[in-house]
Amino acid sequence: MTSATTPDAPSAPAKRTPKTTAPELAEGERERLDRAIDELQVGAGTWAALTVAQRVTLLRAVRTSVAAVAEDWANTAAASKGLDGRHPLRGEEWLSGPYSVLGALDAYIETLSRLAKGTNPLDGVKVERGPGGRTRVQAFPLTGIDRFLLSGYTGEVWLEPGVTPNAARAAAGLAQRTPADSGGVGLVLGAGNITSIPVLDVMYELLAHNRTALLKVNPTQDALVPVYKRAFAPLIGAGLVRIVRGGPAVGEYLTGHPDLAHVHITGSATTFDAIVWGPSKGPGAAATTRRRRENRPRLKKPITAELGGVSPIIIVPGRWTDADLTYQAEHVVTMRLQNSGHNCIAGQVVILSSDWDQADAFRAALRRAYANAPERPIWYPGAPSRMHLATDAYPDALVLGDRVLVEIGVGDDASPLQNTEYFAPVLGVVTLPGTGQTFLDAAVAYANDELQGTLGANLLIDPVTETALGAGFERAITALRYGSIAINGWTAFGFITPTLTWGAYPGSTIDDVGSGIGVVHNALLLDRVERSVIRGPFRPLPRWIAGSLSLSKGGVGRVTILPKPPWFVSARTGAVVSEGLTRFRANGGTLGLVKTLLRAMRA
């Protein structure tokens, strides 16, 4: 970038009047925060003056800086979570950190490059009519390397009913269609659990909304601040991003700041309500109740949020082999135990058919997989107390060292499991009667009506059963009211795939926020998104080959080169494969990729 597009930061006045009140903050800290916002206001003008082509150049510089810090990023994140260099699950921090960000940058660069050339982000992308007046965008895979490395996985973005394919194309690009229209300065209250989230949320502020961004890092991620600053160095130097630390007092000061145009938070509904309405306990609780009654929110600016929920894992009865039972049990355990369960999208409630003749065999496989998964620290603040909530509610639960398995029996009260996002290694199993379409419809209704939140739902079904259900299966998927749906996959695949979208099912409001408001990621910059739908292979390599031979019986097997995905907690080579894939994403290199794939074959 030239000096014309990267002006020096303005000098700070010797004394200033605080923009908001926050008695817990020292005057010097208030001035520091005000100065950062002043610099971002200048940066908003800089950003609005850049052409889309210049923005592509800047994003490429960010990609270079992210690639340079990838190893430090993954190692710092792993150490902060108690995973040493030999821990078998340290690969999680490569995939959910720098890998995710590099993939997003590549996808955004492609979208903006198309816009800069005067072409549409959806040129060459299949856009078709979907169920119920929706439009479906075939958003994954879009590159040859993704088709190869992640063969068997596909992803669609479904737009809201009434959006036509032509309208989808016309709106693709969002704020990058009008780059000179500044969105001001946005506040990003960063997540505390997954290290890519704050970075991805900042990128979405810039690219979807033309807002420069002030990132307040969650205290759990303080160790990553030097890494974030190096990764964002091109944006920081241009005055487009500032990063600050601090606890609740800093957050309160910033959310009330008049010079910030928007707030985005990844966190809990409790924190969201405190920002919008005020504290629910203590001296301010009465005023909060009054504001709610009178519909006078304390927050005077728009807010978007991703807030988690209780995610279902629907097991559709079919005829599974012993290997299927073992593999899918490990799949379920991964959904719960990745990052020690400290995920907004962790699967929490397994919905099983009481009439499935293999239900007991699956339960046994699930218990084995849950017990055999590698041990790791429970590191997120408050997690032990939430685990105690589970064992208090279910004293007969199976406690396996650092994890809890709750199997709801006849007469048990399932409501604590249904309504508490434990954000810890607590997995529950509930049963419903029926098989086939009867069970599937009942499970969808249970997930929609009984489980808190609408962020993500997972569904496991063998290809013979899916084919037999036919249109009924697609109707059931359409009926699921979740912002991300994974069929024979985990919705975290949607999180890590930048051209898919991430966020709650539409309809939440500040009065009843549920799993949140709005979407992020969305590298195709699509408007009026309803959900993303991921489909994966039921069987890994080489077992899908045998499954494909059952075509005469109605089976449809998805081809994949993965014997076991590296994100499985049971993948023996998951750590080195995840690191290898990230290094390939960062730097390319055929030899390194071949070595990584050979290691993947030993997972």
Side-chain angles (χ1 to χ4, degrees):
M1 305 300 293
T2 67
S3 59
T5 58
T6 56
D8 292 335
S11 58
K15 189 77 172 177
R16 65 176 71 211
T17 302
K19 299 292 182 72
T20 65
T21 58
E24 297 178 25
L25 292 182
E27 181 179 351
E29 189 164 14
R30 291 197 298 268
E31 290 185 355
R32 176 177 62 88
L33 298 173
D34 287 345
R35 186 178 303 114
I37 295 169
D38 288 345
E39 292 166 358
L40 288 168
Q41 287 184 306
V42 175
T46 302
W47 185 241
L50 294 179
T51 66
V52 176
Q54 288 173 317
R55 295 176 180 193
V56 170
T57 301
L58 192 54
L59 290 179
R60 287 185 175 133
V62 176
R63 191 195 189 285
T64 298
S65 60
V66 170
V69 302
E71 183 170 356
D72 283 349
W73 184 332
N75 289 340
T76 302
S80 72
K81 298 179 181 183
L83 306 178
D84 63 29
R86 295 168 297 177
H87 199 285
L89 299 180
R90 69 187 184 279
E92 294 176 357
E93 301 310 317
W94 286 90
L95 290 183
S96 64
Y99 179 93
S100 296
V101 172
L102 288 165
L105 285 165
D106 287 341
Y108 281 130
I109 288 168
E110 176 64 22
T111 292
L112 268 66
S113 295
R114 293 187 176 203
L115 290 168
K117 295 173 184 175
T119 59
N120 194 287
L122 295 181
D123 284 353
V125 178
K126 186 176 181 181
V127 182
E128 61 185 358
R129 295 283 185 174
R134 296 170 175 84
T135 287
R136 294 189 294 195
V137 178
Q138 303 294 327
F140 182 86
L142 297 179
T143 67
I145 194 64
D146 283 340
R147 291 186 186 95
F148 173 66
L149 291 179
L150 295 167
S151 55
Y153 289 88
T154 58
E156 306 166 341
V157 177
W158 292 21
L159 306 182
E160 294 175 354
V163 178
T164 66
N166 285 339
R169 292 187 181 93
L174 294 179
Q176 297 310 302
R177 290 187 163 275
T178 55
D181 295 344
S182 174
V185 182
L187 171 65
V188 173
L189 299 174
N193 59 331
I194 296 295
T195 62
S196 64
I197 293 177
V199 177
L200 295 173
D201 290 351
V202 165
M203 298 303 302
Y204 202 67
E205 286 291 290
L206 275 171
L207 299 172
H209 304 294
N210 275 342
R211 286 192 284 262
T212 56
L214 178 64
L215 168 61
K216 191 196 87 66
V217 175
N218 188 294
T220 63
Q221 303 288 3
D222 275 352
L224 269 295
V225 169
V227 173
Y228 289 155
K229 288 184 175 179
R230 289 163 59 198
F232 271 144
L235 301 178
I236 293 172
L240 308 178
V241 171
R242 291 291 181 266
I243 301 173
V244 298
R245 310 183 196 209
V250 171
E252 182 178 357
Y253 181 76
L254 293 174
T255 55
H257 203 289
D259 294 337
L260 292 172
H262 178 268
V263 176
H264 178 78
I265 176 176
T266 300
S268 69
T270 300
T271 302
F272 177 94
D273 286 342
I275 291 169
V276 174
W277 301 103
S280 60
K281 298 178 182 178
T288 298
T289 300
R290 186 166 58 252
R291 276 192 293 269
R292 275 189 174 275
R293 185 174 60 248
E294 298 171 357
N295 194 27
R296 292 185 300 103
R298 183 171 71 166
L299 186 70
K300 304 303 182 185
K301 55 180 67 73
I303 184 170
T304 52
E306 191 268 273
L307 306 175
V310 176
S311 295
I313 308 168
I314 298 172
I315 311 295
V316 182
R319 177 53 52 194
W320 293 13
T321 66
D322 289 344
D324 292 337
L325 293 167
T326 298
Y327 178 82
Q328 296 299 350
E330 292 176 2
H331 200 172
V332 170
V333 168
T334 296
M335 297 180 197
R336 178 71 263 180
L337 294 184
Q338 199 271 355
N339 198 30
S340 201
H342 308 318
N343 288 336
C344 56
I345 200 56
Q348 181 166 305
V349 177
V350 178
I351 305 175
L352 202 61
S353 167
S354 57
D355 294 322
W356 185 26
D357 58 4
Q358 293 183 284
D360 287 342
F362 182 77
R363 284 178 183 271
L366 184 62
R367 294 186 196 109
R368 284 194 301 272
Y370 206 56
N372 292 336
E375 293 186 3
R376 59 173 302 159
I378 297 170
W379 63 271
Y380 202 81
S385 63
R386 288 188 295 274
M387 293 183 71
H388 288 313
L389 289 177
T391 53
D392 287 346
Y394 302 105
D396 295 331
L398 183 62
V399 179
L400 300 165
D402 61 345
R403 60 206 67 165
V404 177
L405 179 62
V406 177
E407 299 189 52
I408 300 295
V410 177
D412 290 342
D413 180 11
S415 57
L417 184 67
Q418 295 167 345
N419 298 306
T420 307
E421 183 188 9
Y422 289 110
F423 214 69
V426 177
L427 179 67
V429 181
V430 301
T431 55
L432 300 174
T435 58
Q437 194 70 48
T438 300
F439 169 80
L440 180 57
D441 290 343
V444 167
Y446 182 93
N448 285 340
D449 300 335
E450 303 298 334
L451 301 185
Q452 185 272 323
T454 62
L455 184 60
N458 312 277
L459 190 147
L460 303 178
I461 182 170
D462 69 88
V464 173
T465 302
E466 181 178 346
T467 300
L469 292 176
F473 178 76
E474 296 303 322
R475 284 196 302 271
I477 297 302
T478 304
L480 267 173
R481 296 192 298 270
Y482 285 82
S484 184
I485 298 170
I487 303 159
N488 291 332
W490 177 25
T491 44
F493 187 92
F495 171 90
I496 208 172
T497 303
T499 48
L500 298 178
T501 58
W502 189 249
Y505 192 81
S508 296
T509 65
I510 61 171
D511 297 301
D512 183 11
V513 70
S515 288
I517 299 170
V519 300
V520 290
H521 304 184
N522 187 26
L524 294 172
L525 297 177
L526 302 172
D527 195 19
R528 296 183 61 187
V529 168
E530 182 186 67
R531 71 180 89 179
S532 287
V533 179
I534 303 106
R535 299 172 194 260
F538 180 74
R539 295 183 177 100
L541 183 74
R543 289 194 300 107
W544 63 263
I545 299 173
S548 296
L549 297 177
S550 65
L551 283 171
S552 60
K553 301 177 183 178
V556 178
R558 282 182 166 241
V559 175
T560 180
I561 68 165
L562 293 175
K564 182 180 289 187
W567 55 85
F568 269 41
V569 295
S570 55
R572 290 180 303 220
T573 59
V576 292
V577 171
S578 298
E579 178 179 345
L581 290 175
T582 306
R583 292 189 185 279
F584 174 75
R585 173 72 75 176
N587 305 311
T590 303
L591 180 59
L593 178 60
V594 170
K595 290 180 179 178
T596 296
L597 293 178
L598 290 175
R599 289 166 178 150
M601 297 302 165
R602 301 196 299 271

mmCIF file with all atom_site columns, all heavy atoms in Angstrom, residues 391-402:
data_model
loop_
_atom_site.group_PDB
_atom_site.id
_atom_site.type_symbol
_atom_site.label_atom_id
_atom_site.label_alt_id
_atom_site.label_comp_id
_atom_site.label_asym_id
_atom_site.label_entity_id
_atom_site.label_seq_id
_atom_site.pdbx_PDB_ins_code
_atom_site.Cartn_x
_atom_site.Cartn_y
_atom_site.Cartn_z
_atom_site.occupancy
_atom_site.B_iso_or_equiv
_atom_site.pdbx_formal_charge
_atom_site.auth_seq_id
_atom_site.auth_comp_id
_atom_site.auth_asym_id
_atom_site.auth_atom_id
_atom_site.pdbx_PDB_model_num
ATOM 1  N N   . THR A 1 391 ? -24.396 -33.508 36.733 1.00 0.00 ? 391 THR A N   1
ATOM 2  C CA  . THR A 1 391 ? -24.392 -34.656 37.633 1.00 0.00 ? 391 THR A CA  1
ATOM 3  C C   . THR A 1 391 ? -25.368 -34.470 38.792 1.00 0.00 ? 391 THR A C   1
ATOM 4  O O   . THR A 1 391 ? -25.893 -35.456 39.321 1.00 0.00 ? 391 THR A O   1
ATOM 5  C CB  . THR A 1 391 ? -22.975 -34.909 38.175 1.00 0.00 ? 391 THR A CB  1
ATOM 6  O OG1 . THR A 1 391 ? -22.445 -33.704 38.742 1.00 0.00 ? 391 THR A OG1 1
ATOM 7  C CG2 . THR A 1 391 ? -22.053 -35.372 37.050 1.00 0.00 ? 391 THR A CG2 1
ATOM 8  N N   . ASP A 1 392 ? -25.644 -33.220 39.170 1.00 0.00 ? 392 ASP A N   1
ATOM 9  C CA  . ASP A 1 392 ? -26.676 -32.986 40.179 1.00 0.00 ? 392 ASP A CA  1
ATOM 10 C C   . ASP A 1 392 ? -28.055 -33.323 39.624 1.00 0.00 ? 392 ASP A C   1
ATOM 11 O O   . ASP A 1 392 ? -28.900 -33.908 40.321 1.00 0.00 ? 392 ASP A O   1
ATOM 12 C CB  . ASP A 1 392 ? -26.645 -31.522 40.633 1.00 0.00 ? 392 ASP A CB  1
ATOM 13 C CG  . ASP A 1 392 ? -25.446 -31.207 41.509 1.00 0.00 ? 392 ASP A CG  1
ATOM 14 O OD1 . ASP A 1 392 ? -24.784 -32.159 41.983 1.00 0.00 ? 392 ASP A OD1 1
ATOM 15 O OD2 . ASP A 1 392 ? -25.154 -30.009 41.706 1.00 0.00 ? 392 ASP A OD2 1
ATOM 16 N N   . ALA A 1 393 ? -28.310 -32.935 38.370 1.00 0.00 ? 393 ALA A N   1
ATOM 17 C CA  . ALA A 1 393 ? -29.613 -33.215 37.755 1.00 0.00 ? 393 ALA A CA  1
ATOM 18 C C   . ALA A 1 393 ? -29.770 -34.697 37.437 1.00 0.00 ? 393 ALA A C   1
ATOM 19 O O   . ALA A 1 393 ? -30.887 -35.232 37.465 1.00 0.00 ? 393 ALA A O   1
ATOM 20 C CB  . ALA A 1 393 ? -29.773 -32.387 36.483 1.00 0.00 ? 393 ALA A CB  1
ATOM 21 N N   . TYR A 1 394 ? -28.642 -35.365 37.139 1.00 0.00 ? 394 TYR A N   1
ATOM 22 C CA  . TYR A 1 394 ? -28.685 -36.775 36.736 1.00 0.00 ? 394 TYR A CA  1
ATOM 23 C C   . TYR A 1 394 ? -27.658 -37.557 37.560 1.00 0.00 ? 394 TYR A C   1
ATOM 24 O O   . TYR A 1 394 ? -26.555 -37.868 37.079 1.00 0.00 ? 394 TYR A O   1
ATOM 25 C CB  . TYR A 1 394 ? -28.404 -36.900 35.234 1.00 0.00 ? 394 TYR A CB  1
ATOM 26 C CG  . TYR A 1 394 ? -29.380 -36.116 34.394 1.00 0.00 ? 394 TYR A CG  1
ATOM 27 C CD1 . TYR A 1 394 ? -29.006 -34.912 33.796 1.00 0.00 ? 394 TYR A CD1 1
ATOM 28 C CD2 . TYR A 1 394 ? -30.685 -36.559 34.228 1.00 0.00 ? 394 TYR A CD2 1
ATOM 29 C CE1 . TYR A 1 394 ? -29.907 -34.182 33.037 1.00 0.00 ? 394 TYR A CE1 1
ATOM 30 C CE2 . TYR A 1 394 ? -31.596 -35.846 33.468 1.00 0.00 ? 394 TYR A CE2 1
ATOM 31 C CZ  . TYR A 1 394 ? -31.204 -34.651 32.874 1.00 0.00 ? 394 TYR A CZ  1
ATOM 32 O OH  . TYR A 1 394 ? -32.096 -33.933 32.138 1.00 0.00 ? 394 TYR A OH  1
ATOM 33 N N   . PRO A 1 395 ? -27.980 -37.884 38.793 1.00 0.00 ? 395 PRO A N   1
ATOM 34 C CA  . PRO A 1 395 ? -27.006 -38.563 39.668 1.00 0.00 ? 395 PRO A CA  1
ATOM 35 C C   . PRO A 1 395 ? -26.598 -39.941 39.167 1.00 0.00 ? 395 PRO A C   1
ATOM 36 O O   . PRO A 1 395 ? -25.559 -40.463 39.599 1.00 0.00 ? 395 PRO A O   1
ATOM 37 C CB  . PRO A 1 395 ? -27.739 -38.651 41.012 1.00 0.00 ? 395 PRO A CB  1
ATOM 38 C CG  . PRO A 1 395 ? -29.182 -38.424 40.708 1.00 0.00 ? 395 PRO A CG  1
ATOM 39 C CD  . PRO A 1 395 ? -29.245 -37.567 39.503 1.00 0.00 ? 395 PRO A CD  1
ATOM 40 N N   . ASP A 1 396 ? -27.384 -40.536 38.273 1.00 0.00 ? 396 ASP A N   1
ATOM 41 C CA  . ASP A 1 396 ? -27.025 -41.846 37.730 1.00 0.00 ? 396 ASP A CA  1
ATOM 42 C C   . ASP A 1 396 ? -26.197 -41.748 36.454 1.00 0.00 ? 396 ASP A C   1
ATOM 43 O O   . ASP A 1 396 ? -25.929 -42.774 35.808 1.00 0.00 ? 396 ASP A O   1
ATOM 44 C CB  . ASP A 1 396 ? -28.289 -42.669 37.443 1.00 0.00 ? 396 ASP A CB  1
ATOM 45 C CG  . ASP A 1 396 ? -29.053 -43.016 38.718 1.00 0.00 ? 396 ASP A CG  1
ATOM 46 O OD1 . ASP A 1 396 ? -28.398 -43.134 39.773 1.00 0.00 ? 396 ASP A OD1 1
ATOM 47 O OD2 . ASP A 1 396 ? -30.291 -43.140 38.663 1.00 0.00 ? 396 ASP A OD2 1
ATOM 48 N N   . ALA A 1 397 ? -25.796 -40.543 36.074 1.00 0.00 ? 397 ALA A N   1
ATOM 49 C CA  . ALA A 1 397 ? -25.007 -40.373 34.851 1.00 0.00 ? 397 ALA A CA  1
ATOM 50 C C   . ALA A 1 397 ? -23.687 -41.119 34.965 1.00 0.00 ? 397 ALA A C   1
ATOM 51 O O   . ALA A 1 397 ? -23.138 -41.308 36.063 1.00 0.00 ? 397 ALA A O   1
ATOM 52 C CB  . ALA A 1 397 ? -24.752 -38.891 34.599 1.00 0.00 ? 397 ALA A CB  1
ATOM 53 N N   . LEU A 1 398 ? -23.170 -41.519 33.823 1.00 0.00 ? 398 LEU A N   1
ATOM 54 C CA  . LEU A 1 398 ? -21.887 -42.205 33.760 1.00 0.00 ? 398 LEU A CA  1
ATOM 55 C C   . LEU A 1 398 ? -20.775 -41.158 33.720 1.00 0.00 ? 398 LEU A C   1
ATOM 56 O O   . LEU A 1 398 ? -20.691 -40.360 32.792 1.00 0.00 ? 398 LEU A O   1
ATOM 57 C CB  . LEU A 1 398 ? -21.827 -43.085 32.510 1.00 0.00 ? 398 LEU A CB  1
ATOM 58 C CG  . LEU A 1 398 ? -20.573 -43.938 32.306 1.00 0.00 ? 398 LEU A CG  1
ATOM 59 C CD1 . LEU A 1 398 ? -20.407 -44.940 33.433 1.00 0.00 ? 398 LEU A CD1 1
ATOM 60 C CD2 . LEU A 1 398 ? -20.649 -44.657 30.954 1.00 0.00 ? 398 LEU A CD2 1
ATOM 61 N N   . VAL A 1 399 ? -19.953 -41.136 34.756 1.00 0.00 ? 399 VAL A N   1
ATOM 62 C CA  . VAL A 1 399 ? -18.843 -40.185 34.849 1.00 0.00 ? 399 VAL A CA  1
ATOM 63 C C   . VAL A 1 399 ? -17.563 -40.926 34.494 1.00 0.00 ? 399 VAL A C   1
ATOM 64 O O   . VAL A 1 399 ? -17.179 -41.882 35.165 1.00 0.00 ? 399 VAL A O   1
ATOM 65 C CB  . VAL A 1 399 ? -18.747 -39.566 36.253 1.00 0.00 ? 399 VAL A CB  1
ATOM 66 C CG1 . VAL A 1 399 ? -17.564 -38.602 36.327 1.00 0.00 ? 399 VAL A CG1 1
ATOM 67 C CG2 . VAL A 1 399 ? -20.043 -38.849 36.603 1.00 0.00 ? 399 VAL A CG2 1
ATOM 68 N N   . LEU A 1 400 ? -16.931 -40.472 33.426 1.00 0.00 ? 400 LEU A N   1
ATOM 69 C CA  . LEU A 1 400 ? -15.729 -41.121 32.928 1.00 0.00 ? 400 LEU A CA  1
ATOM 70 C C   . LEU A 1 400 ? -14.566 -40.137 33.009 1.00 0.00 ? 400 LEU A C   1
ATOM 71 O O   . LEU A 1 400 ? -14.192 -39.498 32.030 1.00 0.00 ? 400 LEU A O   1
ATOM 72 C CB  . LEU A 1 400 ? -15.929 -41.579 31.477 1.00 0.00 ? 400 LEU A CB  1
ATOM 73 C CG  . LEU A 1 400 ? -17.069 -42.584 31.256 1.00 0.00 ? 400 LEU A CG  1
ATOM 74 C CD1 . LEU A 1 400 ? -17.408 -42.682 29.785 1.00 0.00 ? 400 LEU A CD1 1
ATOM 75 C CD2 . LEU A 1 400 ? -16.679 -43.953 31.804 1.00 0.00 ? 400 LEU A CD2 1
ATOM 76 N N   . GLY A 1 401 ? -14.013 -39.971 34.198 1.00 0.00 ? 401 GLY A N   1
ATOM 77 C CA  . GLY A 1 401 ? -12.900 -39.055 34.382 1.00 0.00 ? 401 GLY A CA  1
ATOM 78 C C   . GLY A 1 401 ? -13.291 -37.623 34.095 1.00 0.00 ? 401 GLY A C   1
ATOM 79 O O   . GLY A 1 401 ? -13.966 -36.971 34.899 1.00 0.00 ? 401 GLY A O   1
ATOM 80 N N   . ASP A 1 402 ? -12.922 -37.129 32.900 1.00 0.00 ? 402 ASP A N   1
ATOM 81 C CA  . ASP A 1 402 ? -13.151 -35.730 32.550 1.00 0.00 ? 402 ASP A CA  1
ATOM 82 C C   . ASP A 1 402 ? -14.396 -35.532 31.705 1.00 0.00 ? 402 ASP A C   1
ATOM 83 O O   . ASP A 1 402 ? -14.545 -34.513 31.049 1.00 0.00 ? 402 ASP A O   1
ATOM 84 C CB  . ASP A 1 402 ? -11.937 -35.175 31.796 1.00 0.00 ? 402 ASP A CB  1
ATOM 85 C CG  . ASP A 1 402 ? -11.677 -35.930 30.486 1.00 0.00 ? 402 ASP A CG  1
ATOM 86 O OD1 . ASP A 1 402 ? -12.247 -37.018 30.319 1.00 0.00 ? 402 ASP A OD1 1
ATOM 87 O OD2 . ASP A 1 402 ? -10.914 -35.414 29.647 1.00 0.00 ? 402 ASP A OD2 1
#
